[in-house]
Amino acid sequence: MLQIQQNISLKNFNTFGIDVSAKYFVEINRAEELIELFMDSQWMEMERLILGGGSNMLFVKDFDGLVIHINIRGMEHRINHQQVLVVAGAGEVWNDLVNYCVNNEFAGMENLSLIPGSVGAAPVQNIGAYGVELKDIFASCNAFEIATGTFKTFSKADCQFDYRDSIFKNDMKGHYIIVSVKFELSLVADVKLHYGAIKEELINRGITEPTIKDISQVVSYIRVSKLPDPSTIGNAGSFFKNPIIPKDEFNIVYEHFPEVVNYPAGDGFVKLAAGWLIEKCGWKGKVVGHTGTWHNQALVLVNHGGATGEEVYRLSSQIIDSVYSKFGVKLEREVNVVD
Ligand code: EPU
C-alpha cells in the first residue's frame, strides 16, 4: 500500500537546500506503484511534481500539490561482443551508475562523472559535461504515461535531444514519468579528451594513455575544484544555459568585447560562455544576502545558508538584467523554477 505523507519538508530533497514543504509526498520504489497511485483520480487531477535527486530545481514557495519522489533502483548489464547495454532504475544516483560502469570498464559515461542528480532526470535535460552529452550514450528509456496508466519506450530519436533539452521538457512535459533508462556503452574505450581542462590535468599527472578510470578521476577532480559541493553549499550546478545566439548578434558583442569566450554552435550560430558574461558584469563570488555566485564559477548560484528560493530567484533576475544591459544577450535559466 502506498504511503502518502502530508506537509513534508523538501529541504533534503533539493540540492539548493531550500526549506519549503510539499502538501503531499509519495515515494515510488517500483514502477508498478505508479499504476496504483494514479488509480486514485484525486492524484490525477492534482498539481504534481516529479522529483529525482532535486539537483536542478529551485523551489520558490511551498508546493501545494503532490510530490512524487522516484526511488526506483537497480542496475544491470548485458554484454554483446564489444557492446554493453546497461539498464538503470530512474531513482539510482547518477554518479553511482557512472562508478558501476567505470569499475566494470564499460566506456562512454566517464566524462559525466560526479554530475549530481538521478538517472531518471538525466535524459530530461540531456545532461552534459566535458565534451559528452547523455544523448551520446543513450539507447532508450521506459516511461509511465500518466493519462493511460501504461508504459512506453522512447528511442533516442523520440526524445528529441538538444543542448540541455528534450521532449520531456517540452511536448511531453508532465505527461510521462521516466522509470528506467537504457545506455549503450562499449568495452573498447574511445576517450574524449578535446576539452582543454582534461588534457591539461592529464599532462600534470604525466598520463599519456588514459584509461576511462583516469578520465573519471580527472573529471571528478576538475569538478570538485571548480564547483561547490551541494552537500556543504547548496546549489544546482549551472543556473543558466550558455546562450546560443545568431552570428550577426554575436558580431555586435564581439565588436565591443573581442575577448568574449565563444564556441561554434552549428550553422549561423555561436554559443557564449554565460559564466564569462556574468563575471564581466562583476558578479563572480559576490555574496548577496544568503545567496550569491560561486567564487570559482559565476554560472553557479549558491545558498550560503538559510536562503529562500525567492532570494535566489531575485538574484538570478538581477544577473539576467545586468548581462542584458551590458551585452544585449538574454540569459535563460537552466534550473527548473517551481513556483
Ligand atoms: N568562465 C569565466 N568565468 C566564470 C566561469 C566560466 O570566464 O566565472 C569561462 C571559463 O574560463 C571558460 C568558459 O567560461 O573559458 C567555460 O567555463 P566552464 O568550462 O567552467 O564550463 P561552462 O560552460 O561554464 C558547462 C556546463 C557545465 C559543465 C561544464 C563542463 C552548461 C550550462 N554548463 O559550463 O554543466 O560541467 O560546461 O563541461 O552548459 C550544469 O549543467 O549544471 C553544469 C555544471
Side-chain angles (χ1 to χ4, degrees):
M1 189 66 186
L2 279 174
Q3 289 237 335
I4 313 279
Q5 296 172 275
Q6 285 194 46
N7 302 321
I8 290 290
S9 167
L10 296 177
K11 189 163 185 222
N12 295 329
F13 291 98
N14 71 101
T15 58
F16 249 121
I18 305 288
D19 195 4
V20 290
S21 65
K23 188 164 186 188
Y24 299 101
F25 182 96
V26 65
E27 182 168 288
I28 298 293
N29 295 294
R30 290 179 302 110
E32 299 70 36
E33 288 175 345
L34 289 167
I35 302 175
E36 186 188 331
L37 178 70
F38 286 103
M39 279 202 289
D40 182 340
S41 61
Q42 83 162 297
W43 307 124
M44 191 74 111
E45 283 144 26
M46 186 172 287
E47 198 185 347
R48 301 176 291 263
L49 178 74
I50 316 303
L51 193 61
S55 62
N56 201 38
M57 297 222 158
L58 177 68
F59 288 103
V60 172
K61 59 177 173 47
D62 289 340
F63 186 70
D64 192 30
L66 173 67
V67 168
I68 304 173
H69 181 230
I70 303 296
N71 192 35
I72 303 167
R73 299 287 167 148
M75 294 189 265
E76 51 190 57
H77 66 265
R78 209 178 62 221
I79 298 177
N80 184 8
H81 301 289
Q82 293 182 342
Q83 182 205 53
V84 189
L85 291 175
V86 176
V87 180
E92 285 291 345
V93 172
W94 173 262
N95 198 49
D96 290 349
L97 175 66
V98 174
N99 287 336
Y100 171 85
C101 294
V102 169
N103 291 336
N104 279 300
E105 298 191 9
F106 304 156
M109 51 171 77
E110 53 282 357
N111 293 47
L112 304 178
S113 295
L114 222 60
I115 295 184
S118 64
V119 165
V124 177
Q125 55 149 338
N126 183 25
I127 59 168
Y130 305 104
V132 174
E133 285 186 330
L134 173 113
K135 71 170 168 52
D136 304 330
I137 46 166
F138 179 93
S140 64
C141 67
N142 193 21
F144 176 76
E145 187 179 22
I146 295 171
T148 60
T150 58
F151 292 91
K152 182 181 163 180
T153 298
F154 285 80
S155 69
K156 190 191 293 202
D158 292 337
C159 293
Q160 299 177 11
F161 290 123
D162 206 340
Y163 170 58
R164 293 296 189 276
D165 204 23
S166 76
I167 197 162
F168 301 107
K169 265 185 146 178
N170 297 296
D171 294 359
M172 297 302 159
K173 190 171 176 177
H175 297 295
Y176 285 89
I177 300 175
I178 295 173
V179 296
S180 67
V181 185
K182 188 190 271 185
F183 301 90
E184 191 179 328
L185 303 174
S186 174
L187 290 177
V188 184
D190 172 19
V191 289
K192 304 274 187 314
L193 304 177
H194 46 287
Y195 204 90
I198 295 187
K199 265 193 235 156
E200 269 171 42
E201 187 52 31
L202 287 169
I203 293 170
N204 287 344
R205 295 178 183 212
I207 298 171
T208 47
E209 281 181 33
T211 61
I212 60 168
K213 204 164 215 159
D214 292 327
I215 304 283
S216 176
Q217 283 170 355
V218 162
V219 166
S220 301
Y221 170 82
I222 299 168
R223 287 190 78 92
V224 168
S225 63
K226 270 199 159 178
L227 300 169
D229 175 359
S231 65
T232 50
I233 304 231
N235 75 91
S238 301
F239 196 93
F240 304 97
K241 290 188 198 178
N242 283 329
I244 296 173
I245 60 172
K247 193 89 209 265
D248 51 345
E249 280 177 31
F250 169 73
N251 290 339
I252 299 168
V253 178
Y254 184 75
E255 208 178 292
H256 295 96
F257 304 94
E259 69 284 22
V260 59
V261 179
N262 66 93
Y263 320 90
D267 235 9
F269 288 89
V270 179
K271 192 196 255 189
L272 303 183
W276 185 90
L277 299 172
I278 297 168
E279 179 175 347
K280 291 298 155 199
C281 290
W283 287 106
K284 190 170 182 174
K286 217 169 192 172
V287 178
V288 184
H290 304 92
T291 178
T293 68
W294 188 236
H295 60 88
N296 270 342
Q297 215 326 344
L299 190 49
V300 178
L301 303 198
V302 295
N303 175 1
H304 286 295
T308 62
E310 267 176 8
E311 224 179 333
V312 178
Y313 188 81
R314 217 175 307 124
L315 173 65
S316 70
S317 299
Q318 287 171 348
I319 292 175
I320 291 173
D321 290 349
S322 67
V323 167
Y324 188 71
S325 52
K326 190 172 175 90
F327 299 103
V329 173
K330 192 126 205 263
L331 290 184
E332 256 181 61
R333 293 180 182 86
E334 201 245 313
V335 299
N336 295 305
V337 176
V338 184
D339 55 6

